Amino acid sequence: MAEHAPAGDQARLAEPMRSRWSPSVLDPGHELAADELEALLLSAAWAPSAGNSQPWRLLVAPRGSGLHDALVATLSRGNSGWVPRASVVLVVTAQTGRAPDDEKDPTPTALYDAGQAAAHLTLQAQATGLHAHQFAGFDKAAFADAAGVPAWHTVVAGIAVGRWLPVDERVGPLAVDPRDAEREERPRRRRDLAETAYADRWGEPWRR
Ligand SMILES: Cc1cc2nc3c(=O)[nH]c(=O)nc-3n(C[C@H](O)[C@H](O)[C@H](O)COP(=O)(O)O)c2cc1C
C-alpha cells in the first residue's frame, strides 16, 4: 500500500492537515537527525498559549534511551507493539498545579495550550516527511515516577514520531503485528460538521 490518501473531505484542507494521519507501523531502524528533532521541539515552542505562558514540557525519549525504556515499560497492551518502533517519543506534560516558588496559580488553559503545542509538533512532523501518532494509553503515574515529573505537572500524552514503514518493506525482521497493520486500514471518519459546529445557539447546526 502506498501512503494513505486524505480521507473524505479531509482532501479539502491545506497541507499538512490534508495528508496527516496516525500510522501504527513505523520503521524500527529509522533515526531522526538532530536538526529534525530540534525543529520538532521548536514547532511546539512556537505554538500560541495563554499569555505566552508555554505551560507544557516535552520529555524527549529517543528509541534506545533510558527514558524510552522507562516509557515502554508503562505502555498499555494495545500500544506496546507499535510505540516502541518510533524513532522518538515526546511525552507532553502540562503545568496544572502551583510549583513551590510560583506566585500565581497556573494558567487554567494549560491542558489546552499543551494540546496545541502537540498539534503543532504533529503537523511539523507531517510537513517534513515524518509521521506522528499521539497516544494516551500508558501508565502516566508510573512514567511520572520514573522520569521525575514534579507533582505540579500532569503527564498528558505521548507523541510517537518516526518514518512510516510501507507495506512492501514489512518483511523479515521488519514484519509487523497483524493487529497494528490492521489498525492502519480502518476507515478514518469524522463527525458531521452539523454535530460539532453550532450557529446562533448551542445545538443549532452551522450551515454554509
Ligand atoms: C490525546 C490522544 C490520545 C490518543 N491515544 C491513543 C492510544 O492510546 N493508542 C492509539 O493507538 N492511538 C491513540 N490516539 C490516536 C487516535 O486514535 C487518532 O488520532 C484518531 O483515531 C484519529 O485518527 P487520525 O489521527 O489518523 O486522523 C490518540 C490521539 C490523541 C490526540
Side-chain angles (χ1 to χ4, degrees), residues 41-53:
L41 299 174
L42 285 170
S43 70
W46 277 99
S49 58
N52 200 21
S53 54

Side-chain angles (χ1 to χ4, degrees), residues 20-22 79 82 133-137 157 183 188 190:
R20 190 208 60 78
W21 65 292
S22 302
N79 290 335
W82 68 269
H133 187 155
Q134 299 173 61
F135 61 94
R183 191 196 324 240
R188 295 178 56 246
R190 291 299 189 265

Side-chain angles (χ1 to χ4, degrees), residues 78-149:
N79 290 335
S80 62
W82 68 269
V83 173
R85 296 167 67 112
S87 310
V88 64
V89 178
L90 293 320
V91 178
V92 183
T93 74
Q95 188 179 348
T96 49
R98 207 162 162 157
D101 296 339
D102 284 354
E103 285 166 8
K104 292 189 297 182
D105 284 339
T107 171
T109 55
L111 289 167
Y112 180 95
D113 293 336
Q116 187 143 219
H120 277 225
L121 194 154
T122 299
L123 294 171
Q124 171 76 17
Q126 186 75 36
T128 54
L130 299 164
H131 284 84
H133 187 155
Q134 299 173 61
F135 61 94
F138 63 109
D139 183 337
K140 295 172 198 77
F143 177 79
D145 205 31
V149 177

Side-chain angles (χ1 to χ4, degrees), residues 23-204:
S24 301
V25 182
L26 297 168
D27 180 351
H30 174 265
E31 286 180 20
L32 244 61
D35 60 342
E36 285 179 302
L37 178 52
E38 191 172 28
L40 289 174
L41 299 174
L42 285 170
S43 70
W46 277 99
S49 58
N52 200 21
S53 54
Q54 304 161 66
W56 59 81
R57 297 293 179 270
L58 299 171
L59 285 125
V60 183
R63 194 179 52 247
S65 64
L67 191 60
H68 185 265
D69 290 345
L71 171 74
V72 166
T74 69
L75 290 172
S76 67
R77 215 160 72 84
N79 290 335
S80 62
W82 68 269
V83 173
R85 296 167 67 112
S87 310
V88 64
V89 178
L90 293 320
V91 178
V92 183
T93 74
Q95 188 179 348
T96 49
R98 207 162 162 157
D101 296 339
D102 284 354
E103 285 166 8
K104 292 189 297 182
D105 284 339
T107 171
T109 55
L111 289 167
Y112 180 95
D113 293 336
Q116 187 143 219
H120 277 225
L121 194 154
T122 299
L123 294 171
Q124 171 76 17
Q126 186 75 36
T128 54
L130 299 164
H131 284 84
H133 187 155
Q134 299 173 61
F135 61 94
F138 63 109
D139 183 337
K140 295 172 198 77
F143 177 79
D145 205 31
V149 177
W152 50 94
H153 265 258
T154 298
V155 176
V156 186
I159 313 174
V161 179
R163 171 186 174 258
W164 178 65
L165 190 69
V167 173
D168 58 1
E169 294 181 34
R170 299 175 188 180
V171 288
L174 294 183
V176 299
D177 185 322
R179 276 181 317 167
D180 294 329
E182 178 273 328
R183 191 196 324 240
E184 287 196 344
E185 300 307 321
R186 291 182 197 156
R188 295 178 56 246
R189 295 199 186 93
R190 291 299 189 265
R191 292 182 202 280
D192 195 86
L193 273 189
E195 285 182 56
T196 57
Y198 298 149
D200 298 329
R201 58 180 286 117
W202 179 270
E204 278 184 27

